[in-house]
Amino acid sequence: MARDWDERADELAAQAISDGAPTSWFDRLYAEGCSGVVGMPWDRSQPAPQLREWAESQAVDGSGRRAVVVGCGLGADAEYLASLGFDTAAFDVAPTAVRVAQDRHPGSAVDYRVADLLDLPGEWLGAFDLVVEIYTVQALPDPPRSEAVRGVRSLVARGGTLFVVEFRTDGESDATTGPPFALSRGRLLSFADDGLEQVELSAVEGQHWRAVFRRPSG
Ligand SMILES: C[S@@+](CC[C@H](N)C(=O)[O-])C[C@H]1O[C@@H](n2cnc3c(N)ncnc32)[C@H](O)[C@@H]1O
C-alpha cells in the first residue's frame, strides 16, 4: 500500500532544507507519487475553493487577459483560469508535476512550464493581469521565503491583480516548523510592496489567509 505522502514530504523537506536545497524535494515527492510509493501529493482536480469563490464573487472574466499560476502542481487552478477565458501560463519547479499536469489535460490551452519562482524568465516580469499563488510561498523556509514573495510580486502587470491563499498563523512571525510554514499577517502584508497595494486580507476557514493585491495602472 502507498505510504502517506504528507509524512514522506516531511522527511524529504527536512533533509533538503538541512542540505541547503529547499526546493529540491518537490520533484522527488511527485516522482514517488507517480510510481505509487506514496499517494499523489496535492492531488485535486477541482480549483481551490477560495479561488473559485473569489472569482465567482467578482464575476472574473479573463477574456483578452493573461494569467499565471505559481507552483501550479497538477494544474487544477490553471485549467480553471483558462476556463474563465484567461490566456493562462502555469509553472512549477518540479518537472514531474508539470508532466503530470500536461498528461492530465491533453489538448489544454494552458502553457505549462518548468520554471523556478526564484529565477523567473525575464519575459514574465510584469506580464500578467492575474497572478494566482496558492501554497507555494508557505512551502519554503526563510530563506528563500522573502525572495519567493518578491518573485510573486514581480509577475503582476500594471493594472493587474494578485490572488494569494496560504495557511495562517495568528502569531507575530511565520511558523518555524514546516512545511507548511503557516504565515503571519505581517508576511501576507509583505506582498504589498514594489508598487502593489493591498485590496483584501481575510482570515478564512481552515486556518487560511485569502488576500488580494493590485498594481495601479498609472
Ligand atoms: C504545497 S504545493 C501546492 C501545489 C498547488 N499550488 C496546490 O495548491 O495544489 C507547492 C508547489 O510549489 C512548487 N514549488 C516550490 N518551490 C517552487 C519554486 N521555487 N518555483 C516554482 N514552484 C515551486 C512545488 O513543486 C509544489 O508543486
Side-chain angles (χ1 to χ4, degrees):
M1 203 178 97
R3 263 187 84 187
D4 177 29
W5 67 264
D6 232 345
E7 199 182 280
R8 181 65 175 143
D10 289 345
E11 288 172 9
L12 291 173
Q15 186 62 54
I17 290 168
S18 86
D19 292 346
T23 64
S24 63
W25 60 278
F26 295 99
D27 195 60
R28 179 135 178 226
L29 185 64
Y30 282 114
E32 291 189 5
C34 282
S35 62
V37 174
V38 298
M40 185 59 88
W42 303 295
D43 192 0
R44 59 184 166 84
S45 56
Q46 296 300 313
Q50 302 91 343
L51 175 61
R52 190 199 286 273
E53 276 163 30
W54 172 74
E56 289 180 357
S57 71
Q58 303 294 308
V60 170
D61 176 6
S63 310
R65 301 168 74 211
R66 289 186 80 192
V68 66
V69 179
V70 175
C72 63
L74 306 180
D77 296 330
E79 294 299 322
Y80 177 63
L81 296 186
S83 79
L84 296 180
F86 286 97
D87 175 2
T88 306
F91 69 95
D92 202 288
V93 75
T96 307
V98 171
R99 185 172 50 71
V100 174
Q102 289 169 323
D103 288 351
R104 282 188 175 189
H105 305 103
S108 170
V110 175
D111 178 13
Y112 287 106
R113 304 260 194 103
V114 177
D116 187 349
L117 178 59
L118 306 174
D119 186 17
L120 289 164
E123 75 266 20
W124 281 359
L125 303 182
F128 296 97
D129 304 298
L130 175 62
V131 176
V132 169
E133 151 47 14
I134 299 178
Y135 297 154
T136 309
V137 169
Q138 57 156 54
L140 299 171
D142 197 20
R145 195 177 305 139
S146 302
E147 201 189 327
V149 172
R150 210 163 28 247
V152 172
R153 286 195 303 252
S154 75
L155 293 163
V156 185
R158 283 176 197 271
T161 299
L162 166 61
F163 178 84
V164 179
V165 174
E166 313 282 0
F167 275 104
R168 174 179 104 237
T169 174
D170 295 320
E172 291 287 299
S173 314
D174 300 344
T176 51
T177 54
F181 299 92
L183 301 186
S184 64
R185 176 178 289 273
R187 176 67 68 181
L188 265 287
L189 290 174
S190 78
F191 282 95
D193 200 349
D194 297 336
L196 283 191
E197 295 173 355
Q198 180 193 332
V199 176
E200 179 201 313
L201 175 55
S202 316
V204 295
E205 70 181 287
Q207 209 48 35
H208 285 101
W209 294 115
R210 187 184 95 163
V212 179
F213 304 88
R214 286 233 164 83
R215 190 183 296 290
S217 44

